[in-house]
């Protein structure tokens, strides 16, 4: 069993045990997900870009970033479940499409341009 399926099943059980499915409509889950992304962003908001990655490997910031990333992942997995989307499959399709759209030999070392 994949890790995402196991997380999905654990989130389903967690939700059912608390009778919270009634609150897990797509809009509410998207808003919760957005809030968690905001909490993650807040941790890095005022850090200089050139030192943020190094500082995120240390102590309290590392722990808090992990907690917020876990919240983001759990809400994302729950949202995908509610929308009946196989998240792993969708991610693999998206990555394959991006690989075709941005061939490494053509974009190596360049930020992609919006089209």
């Amino acid at each position: 069993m994949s890790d995402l399926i196991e997380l999905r099943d654990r989130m389903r059980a967690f939700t059912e045990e608390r009778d919270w499915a009634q609150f897990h409509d797509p809009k509410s889950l998207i808003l919760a997900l957005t809030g968690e992304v905001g909490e993650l962003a807040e941790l890095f908001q005022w850090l200089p870009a050139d030192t943020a990655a190094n500082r995120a490997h240390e102590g309290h910031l590392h722990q808090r970033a992990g907690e917020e990333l876990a919240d983001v992942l759990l809400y994302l997995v729950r949202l995908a479940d509610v929308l009946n989307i196989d998240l792993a499959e969708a991610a693999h399709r998206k990555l394959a499409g991006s690989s075709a759209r941005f061939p490494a030999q053509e974009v190596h070392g360049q930020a992609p341009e919006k089209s």
Side-chain angles (χ1 to χ4, degrees):
M1 180 183 303
S2 82
D3 289 342
L4 284 178
I5 291 171
E6 183 180 344
L7 278 174
R8 180 204 64 198
D9 291 348
R10 288 185 65 193
M11 285 297 295
R12 278 181 185 172
F14 180 88
T15 300
E16 289 169 8
E17 289 168 357
R18 289 154 181 81
D19 190 27
W20 285 354
Q22 62 185 316
F23 308 117
H24 288 185
D25 60 275
K27 178 195 68 94
S28 295
L29 289 168
I30 290 167
L31 290 173
L33 178 60
T34 301
E36 295 302 336
V37 170
E39 290 180 21
L40 178 62
E42 185 179 27
L43 296 175
F44 293 87
Q45 183 174 3
W46 303 115
L47 295 180
D50 59 343
T51 63
N54 288 336
R55 291 179 63 183
H57 290 281
E58 302 168 358
H60 183 70
L61 182 57
H62 187 262
Q63 179 182 338
R64 290 287 299 121
E67 291 168 358
E68 296 306 335
L69 284 167
D71 286 340
V72 168
L73 177 61
L74 292 171
Y75 276 119
L76 185 62
V77 167
R78 182 68 182 139
L79 177 60
D81 188 27
V82 167
L83 295 176
N84 196 31
I85 293 172
D86 182 325
L87 193 54
E89 181 183 316
H92 284 290
R93 275 196 321 270
K94 182 67 176 181
L95 187 55
S98 293
S99 293
R101 186 172 169 203
F102 303 108
Q105 66 275 14
E106 293 179 21
V107 298
H108 189 265
Q110 300 173 35
E113 295 181 15
K114 280 286 207 185
S115 51

